Amino acid sequence: MLPIRDALDVISGKWKVLILTSIMHGNRRFTEIQTSIPKINPKVLSKELKDMEEHQLIKRIVHDDHPVLIEYIATDYSRSLKKVMMELHSWGVNHRKQLLGK
Amino acid sequence: MLPIRDALDVISGKWKVLILTSIMHGNRRFTEIQTSIPKINPKVLSKELKDMEEHQLIKRIVHDDHPVLIEYIATDYSRSLKKVMMELHSWGVNHRKQLLGK
């Protein structure tokens, strides 16, 4: 069961899926990502971005401008999570019905 | 993205997937489940079992014997998680390769 734990470690928590979705939808700047996710704390966002970069889900690109421009993009590899996320999504939709239906 | 969060809330954490798998494999008594999962703390196991019962993944059955016999079984509903768990598993296997391969 360790691979399941590995996978959960990467995507668990309150924010990672929301952050990844935001970046996949084209938000590239820190402030854009922050604005797109209600109530996220900048310190938390910063930590999560670092985590996700380590797991190769996103790439941090530093453009050598003045002032320096930093952008985040989703890696091709991050798209491998798509099926997992779709399964989780449909299970989550169903689970809400299940709990309310009883 | 809220359904994904819902789903993650139900299966996240260090133990839930391991506990569910143990019960699905036929461990029914608290001590059996505990023994099957190295290093799990009984208090934690007890809390997780309650959580999983609330989410209808397991059922707690009290047999009116002397002494009272308590068993846990996986619900039919819990099998709906199978596809999610398989996707997480194969992504986790692949992710380990991805991180080691670089």
Side-chain angles (χ1 to χ4, degrees), chain A residues 36-96:
Chain A
S36 74
I37 303 171
K39 291 188 194 161
I40 195 165
N41 172 302
K43 262 193 199 159
V44 172
L45 176 55
S46 171
K47 197 201 156 299
E48 295 286 44
L49 287 169
K50 248 178 224 154
D51 253 32
M52 291 165 72
E53 204 192 342
E54 264 170 38
H55 282 284
Q56 304 176 11
L57 300 178
I58 58 170
K59 222 179 142 135
R60 184 173 182 271
I61 298 172
V62 183
H63 297 278
D64 208 5
D65 273 344
H66 305 280
V68 168
L69 172 70
I70 295 172
E71 291 188 317
Y72 297 90
I73 55 167
T75 59
D76 286 343
Y77 176 61
S78 74
R79 323 240 168 230
S80 66
L81 270 175
K82 212 166 170 184
K83 257 173 96 181
V84 178
M85 283 164 72
M86 277 169 50
E87 286 299 336
L88 283 167
H89 187 272
S90 65
W91 193 84
V93 169
N94 185 60
H95 188 56
R96 198 166 275 201

Side-chain angles (χ1 to χ4, degrees), chain A residues 5-6 18 77 95-96, chain B residues 5-6 18 77 95-96:
Chain A
R5 238 195 230 177
D6 283 355
L18 300 179
Y77 176 61
H95 188 56
R96 198 166 275 201
Chain B
R5 239 197 229 178
D6 283 356
L18 300 178
Y77 175 60
H95 187 57
R96 199 167 276 202

Side-chain angles (χ1 to χ4, degrees), chain A residues 1 3 5-7 12 14 18 21 55-56 77 80-81 83-84 87-88 91-92 95-96 98 102, chain B residues 1 3 5-8 12 14 18 21 55-56 77 80-81 83-84 87-88 91-92 95-96 98 102:
Chain A
M1 291 302 100
R5 238 195 230 177
D6 283 355
S12 278
K14 220 176 157 184
L18 300 179
T21 312
H55 282 284
Q56 304 176 11
Y77 176 61
S80 66
L81 270 175
K83 257 173 96 181
V84 178
E87 286 299 336
L88 283 167
W91 193 84
H95 188 56
R96 198 166 275 201
Q98 168 81 9
K102 298 266 158 156
Chain B
M1 291 300 99
R5 239 197 229 178
D6 283 356
L8 286 173
S12 277
K14 218 174 155 182
L18 300 178
T21 312
H55 282 284
Q56 305 176 10
Y77 175 60
S80 66
L81 270 175
K83 258 173 95 181
V84 178
E87 286 299 337
L88 283 167
W91 193 84
H95 187 57
R96 199 167 276 202
Q98 168 82 10
K102 298 265 158 159

